Amino acid sequence: MLYLCRVRSTDKVGPEVYTEMLLKNTTPYITTNVSANQSKRKIAEASKTPIEFLAKYDDLKSKNVRDLDMLVFLLSKLVDEDQVKDVLERTFKDKADAQGATTAPHEIPAQLTAPQGSKFTPQNVIEIQTQLRRLKEGPAVSQVTSSEMLRKALREKQVQRNVNVPHQPDWLFQRSCLTMDFIVGVDGPTDSNIVPLGSLPTMMQEHAILDDILCCMQGIEGKYILARALTERYAPKEFMIDQSLDSSLLEMVKRILPLASNYSTVVRFIEEKSAFEYGLVNHALSSAMRTLVKDYMMLVTQLEQQLRVGNLSLQKLWFYIQPSMKTLDIMASVANSINRGECIGGAVLSMLHEKTSSFIGDVKGQELCLYLTQSACVPYFEILEKWIYKGIITDPYSEEKKYFEHIERAYGYSSKLLLNLLMDEKELMARIRSIKHYFLLDKGDFIVQFMDMTEDEMKQDLENIHPTRLESLLELALRTSTANVDPFKDDLKVDLLQFDLITQMFTILSIETNMEGDYKKFISDPTDMHLSGLESFSFDYVVKWPVSLVLNRKALTRYQMLFRHLFYTKHVERQLCSVWVGNKTAKMYSIQSARWYSAAFALRQRMLNFVQNFEYYMMFEVVEPSWHIFQTNMQNVSNVDDVLAYHSDFLSDCLKDCMLTNPQLLKIVHKLMMVCVTFSNFI
């Protein structure tokens, strides 16, 4: 910068001293090729006619116009100064009106241009800089790049959509180079040996422009093909080409560059829609597009190899990229449609279906759209499957949201109708109470009478038992006991299982707890088991729809396990009671003879007390309190899901408190019962 000073006649030093001072305080205006290229691109992006500007710049540069780069650098600084531009524009209009001249939007203000045939001097530049510095007030407006627009959109999307998305790290928004798209507006090292293409032979022009095209096909700016900053979020990428390029080559380049533009659109879509808040369907679609982009990048790699060995021309490149141009054009069209409609979830699939239908007659295009549709459908149908088969709506990113309220309303209405059908017309509680009578031994006279009738049958091996005879005895016991008043007694059936209770329980526990190795030693091979009727006997119950929604096979299996446990305990009690009856014959013996049996009598009584107290605990301390809680809960149900939950809780509590779900306790109880049975048989 040149500092001005005034020479006074009273000064003792001469003008040569001041001249030397001025020369020492002069800061030369240094303009490098790097800053000139950045300035040129900055002005072109801000201009409404960038091609004409670049062509004019190249023309002046080829004529070796002095101070051209200094002027371009100055104008690039002016681009960011809105207030300065407003002042200059008003001044220019005032002077034009005063002179009766017209103004054009693309023309540079007259006071910043030199007359034709004249040259800018350093003094002119200094004067303009001084004027701009005086007019400068407030901060400059920074250029917004495509990556910044994406990061801003992601932040706004998280705020606008009320979805529970995981927290994303700050570096995701702060690192501008984490993108496969063009990075525009970021200063970086530039080749200082760039010369206008027009000054090169045609063959060298083609080679240079081919290298630039391959860079642009990967989202990287070239030396002679520059990417313009996006004017809006989803705008297609536009490019600026060195206008000094041979006209035939220029036309070919213009035909190829839409491929790079579509690539930019696709990778922007992939990077944006991969964010959590855009939903699982968009994630799946982005993944499918990313797979296709990888194949496209393989093509670019092969083309680069051909260029390095000298086997690639613009015509060959045009031939090789034809399939990829169509693929990326379709993908960009899909991305633009989704972006414009802000589609999420099912709306994306509807749009993909429309795209697929529009390609009828175009086999390749239809196959591509079908591939994208199939990939995007996977998470949607997983959500749908869970809803249909399990009644669970798993929608973490609010993709089925506008339908959610309708689904809930329809579910509430249908569930209420189904609940009324089950409770009133199908008498669900009466059926559950009927099952409790038989499976949980609620009808005492019925079970005693049935065990008396089937005592001989139960002692036989499973192979020798006739199920029809047991069915007949069951029906006789039902007809001759208080169970005769039960309207659902005919649904009770006999079931002879091929495994005992211990094997059944350990098999189930090994599956539910993923500890098959620990329980395998307790599980017997059914082919090696010689079961008696008592060990294999159980009840079954005939249930028809819609009652089977609640009394399903899983619930009936739980009832069966509880019944077999209680039934075997009742059998042990009967065996000990039979011993007690037999011990009465000792009364006819003398006291001295009977005392030999006193130890056995005491042991029998201890066993009987244990079994009766254990049976009392299960019947009155476990089953009845749990049943009371279940009945209370059933009075307040509002849908079928509540019925299923309360019924499952009732059975789970009974199984747990009866020690059927604890392998160690179950093993101990089973061993004690076996000791009691062995003692009874011995006595």
Side-chain angles (χ1 to χ4, degrees):
M1 183 61 65
L2 181 64
Y3 293 93
L4 302 179
C5 61
R6 182 177 301 174
V7 181
R8 294 173 296 194
S9 59
T10 58
D11 291 341
K12 298 180 181 180
V13 295
E16 64 279 358
V17 178
Y18 286 103
T19 303
E20 183 179 358
M21 291 175 59
L22 289 175
L23 292 175
K24 289 181 179 180
N25 288 287
T26 300
T27 302
Y29 187 86
I30 301 174
T31 304
T32 64
N33 290 329
V34 174
S35 60
N37 279 321
Q38 296 293 339
S39 302
K40 178 179 66 173
R41 184 173 66 181
K42 198 171 187 179
I43 297 173
E45 290 174 350
S47 173
K48 295 182 180 179
T49 55
I51 296 176
E52 290 82 353
F53 167 77
L54 293 174
K56 186 64 176 176
Y57 175 87
D58 292 337
D59 179 58
L60 295 176
K61 193 71 173 178
S62 64
K63 296 178 181 179
N64 294 322
V65 176
R66 292 182 59 188
D67 305 320
L68 176 63
D69 289 336
M70 288 192 290
L71 176 61
V72 170
F73 181 81
L74 178 64
L75 294 177
S76 69
K77 294 298 183 182
L78 183 63
V79 169
D80 292 335
E81 304 296 338
D82 292 339
Q83 295 181 351
V84 175
K85 288 190 291 186
D86 292 340
V87 173
L88 293 176
E89 186 177 3
R90 288 196 301 270
T91 304
F92 175 67
K93 289 183 177 180
D94 293 342
K95 290 185 176 180
D97 293 339
Q99 297 175 4
T102 59
T103 60
H106 64 279
E107 292 180 353
I108 301 176
Q111 63 267 35
L112 295 181
T113 60
Q116 187 172 4
S118 63
K119 299 180 180 179
F120 267 98
T121 63
Q123 185 64 30
N124 298 136
V125 175
I126 293 171
E127 292 176 358
I128 295 176
Q129 286 180 333
T130 305
Q131 295 177 14
L132 294 177
R133 189 180 298 108
R134 292 174 180 173
L135 293 171
K136 182 178 180 181
E137 292 180 2
V141 180
S142 60
Q143 188 178 18
V144 180
T145 65
S146 59
S147 58
E148 290 173 345
M149 296 178 74
L150 174 59
R151 293 195 297 273
K152 182 179 179 182
L154 289 176
R155 290 195 186 98
E156 293 176 351
K157 204 70 177 179
Q158 291 183 8
V159 176
Q160 292 174 0
R161 294 188 62 211
N162 186 19
V163 293
N164 185 20
V165 297
H167 175 71
Q168 297 183 358
D170 293 336
W171 56 261
L172 182 63
F173 306 105
Q174 294 172 355
R175 298 184 181 179
S176 59
C177 295
L178 290 178
T179 177
M180 296 175 65
D181 194 16
F182 293 89
I183 301 176
V184 180
V186 179
D187 293 338
T190 306
D191 190 354
S192 59
N193 298 320
I194 297 177
V195 296
L197 282 175
S199 61
L200 301 175
T202 305
M203 184 177 297
M204 294 184 64
Q205 290 186 35
E206 183 176 12
H207 186 276
I209 206 66
L210 272 172
D211 191 62
D212 273 18
I213 290 175
L214 291 177
C215 288
C216 291
M217 289 172 64
Q218 304 173 70
I220 304 171
E221 282 189 335
K223 299 176 182 178
Y224 304 102
I225 302 178
L226 303 178
R228 300 194 65 181
L230 297 175
T231 56
E232 59 182 18
R233 183 175 171 187
Y234 299 124
K237 179 64 67 176
E238 296 180 354
F239 300 93
M240 299 175 289
I241 311 171
D242 188 342
Q243 296 299 304
S244 64
L245 179 65
D246 182 79
S247 59
S248 61
L249 298 178
L250 181 62
E251 291 302 317
M252 183 63 71
V253 170
K254 290 180 179 179
R255 294 167 64 184
I256 295 174
L257 281 181
L259 175 64
S261 178
N262 289 333
Y263 167 83
S264 173
T265 301
V266 171
V267 295
R268 268 184 284 151
F269 176 86
I270 292 173
E271 292 172 358
E272 177 180 327
K273 296 303 186 287
S274 295
F276 291 110
E277 55 269 25
Y278 287 96
L280 298 175
V281 175
N282 276 324
H283 295 173
L285 179 59
S286 299
S287 177
M289 287 186 172
R290 187 178 286 109
T291 301
L292 296 175
V293 169
K294 287 181 180 179
D295 295 339
Y296 165 78
M297 297 302 289
M298 288 290 294
L299 171 65
V300 177
T301 303
Q302 295 170 356
L303 293 174
E304 282 187 341
Q305 194 272 338
Q306 291 295 314
L307 178 62
R308 297 296 176 261
V309 299
N311 293 334
L312 186 65
S313 64
L314 275 176
Q315 291 294 338
K316 285 185 177 180
L317 176 66
W318 175 250
F319 173 77
Y320 289 141
I321 65 174
Q322 288 304 306
S324 296
M325 287 196 72
K326 183 173 183 180
T327 300
L328 284 175
D329 183 61
I330 294 175
M331 292 167 62
S333 175
V334 169
N336 288 328
S337 298
I338 294 176
N339 289 334
R340 284 195 299 268
E342 297 184 351
C343 301
I344 292 177
V348 175
L349 301 181
S350 300
M351 190 282 305
L352 287 172
H353 174 70
E354 293 177 0
K355 286 289 182 183
T356 305
S357 301
S358 65
F359 281 99
I360 294 179
D362 184 352
V363 178
K364 296 296 183 181
Q366 195 170 36
E367 287 179 355
L368 174 59
C369 288
L370 281 174
Y371 168 73
L372 296 177
T373 305
Q374 290 171 354
S375 301
C377 280
V378 173
Y380 185 83
F381 280 110
E382 287 179 355
I383 296 174
L384 198 62
E385 184 179 7
K386 286 184 179 179
W387 174 50
I388 293 175
Y389 292 108
K390 298 183 179 180
I392 301 173
I393 299 179
T394 306
D395 188 14
Y397 305 123
S398 300
E399 296 182 73
E400 290 189 293
K401 186 176 181 181
K402 63 180 181 180
Y403 302 111
F404 184 79
E405 295 179 357
H406 301 290
I407 293 174
E408 286 291 330
R409 192 181 304 112
Y411 163 75
Y413 176 74
S414 59
S415 182
K416 185 177 181 181
L417 290 180
L418 179 58
L419 180 64
N420 293 335
L421 175 65
L422 289 172
M423 301 297 289
D424 299 336
E425 183 176 342
K426 300 300 180 180
E427 301 177 309
L428 176 63
M429 284 304 299
R431 285 192 173 273
I432 297 178
R433 195 176 292 110
S434 173
I435 290 179
K436 177 176 178 288
H437 291 333
Y438 307 124
F439 284 83
L440 303 184
L441 309 186
D442 197 8
K443 291 289 185 181
D445 62 331
F446 156 74
I447 196 65
V448 171
Q449 190 167 347
F450 176 74
M451 295 182 77
D452 289 338
M453 293 179 178
T454 59
E455 186 173 3
D456 295 336
E457 293 287 332
M458 295 297 182
K459 293 180 181 179
Q460 300 181 24
D461 291 338
L462 179 60
E463 295 81 7
N464 301 326
I465 297 178
H466 299 286
T468 54
R469 177 170 172 76
L470 285 179
E471 290 284 357
S472 301
L473 294 175
L474 173 62
E475 185 175 0
L476 180 60
L478 288 171
R479 303 296 180 186
T480 57
S481 65
T482 56
N484 189 41
V485 298
D486 183 9
F488 309 111
K489 61 181 180 296
D490 294 334
D491 293 333
L492 187 66
K493 303 296 179 183
V494 169
D495 191 11
L496 295 176
L497 303 177
Q498 300 297 320
F499 40 81
D500 61 359
L501 176 61
I502 299 299
T503 302
Q504 183 182 18
M505 285 304 308
F506 283 137
T507 302
I508 294 174
L509 289 174
S510 67
I511 297 174
E512 292 183 349
T513 59
N514 295 323
M515 298 176 63
E516 185 175 357
D518 297 339
Y519 299 126
K520 192 173 183 180
K521 56 185 178 181
F522 301 113
I523 301 175
S524 303
D525 188 352
T527 59
D528 298 335
M529 300 176 65
H530 301 284
L531 299 178
S532 64
L534 180 70
E535 294 172 320
S536 64
F537 178 78
S538 181
F539 283 142
D540 199 2
Y541 201 83
V542 179
V543 184
K544 297 181 180 179
W545 196 89
V547 182
S548 59
L549 294 174
V550 179
L551 297 176
N552 48 40
R553 178 47 53 185
K554 181 179 179 180
L556 289 176
T557 302
R558 291 182 170 187
Y559 276 116
Q560 283 184 337
M561 291 187 291
L562 287 169
F563 168 77
R564 298 181 76 181
H565 193 43
L566 294 170
F567 186 74
Y568 188 73
T569 306
K570 179 67 72 173
H571 166 72
V572 174
E573 181 193 10
R574 286 171 58 84
Q575 291 292 98
L576 292 172
C577 288
S578 299
V579 173
W580 176 76
V581 172
N583 290 157
K584 289 184 178 181
T585 58
K587 292 181 179 180
M588 67 182 64
Y589 303 139
S590 63
I591 297 177
Q592 292 181 351
S593 301
R595 72 180 180 182
W596 296 103
Y597 297 95
S598 60
F601 292 169
L603 180 58
R604 178 259 304 158
Q605 192 60 39
R606 290 174 63 186
M607 288 181 175
L608 185 60
N609 288 339
F610 163 72
V611 173
Q612 288 178 340
N613 280 280
F614 183 64
E615 187 179 5
Y616 172 86
Y617 161 76
M618 290 190 293
M619 296 291 297
F620 296 98
E621 298 293 339
V622 176
V623 175
E624 286 303 323
S626 300
W627 174 257
H628 177 73
I629 294 174
F630 172 66
Q631 279 188 312
T632 304
N633 291 333
M634 287 295 291
Q635 295 175 359
N636 302 318
V637 294
S638 58
N639 53 58
V640 179
D641 285 342
D642 292 342
V643 176
L644 293 172
Y646 292 143
H647 188 236
S648 178
D649 291 343
F650 164 67
L651 292 175
S652 298
D653 292 342
C654 291
L655 287 170
K656 178 182 177 182
D657 293 338
C658 288
M659 295 177 283
L660 286 174
T661 58
N662 190 312
Q664 287 74 24
L665 291 177
L666 180 60
K667 184 180 178 181
I668 294 173
V669 171
H670 179 69
K671 185 178 293 185
L672 291 174
M673 293 297 173
M674 289 298 297
V675 170
C676 294
V677 171
T678 304
F679 172 80
S680 300
N681 293 335
F682 176 77
I683 293 297

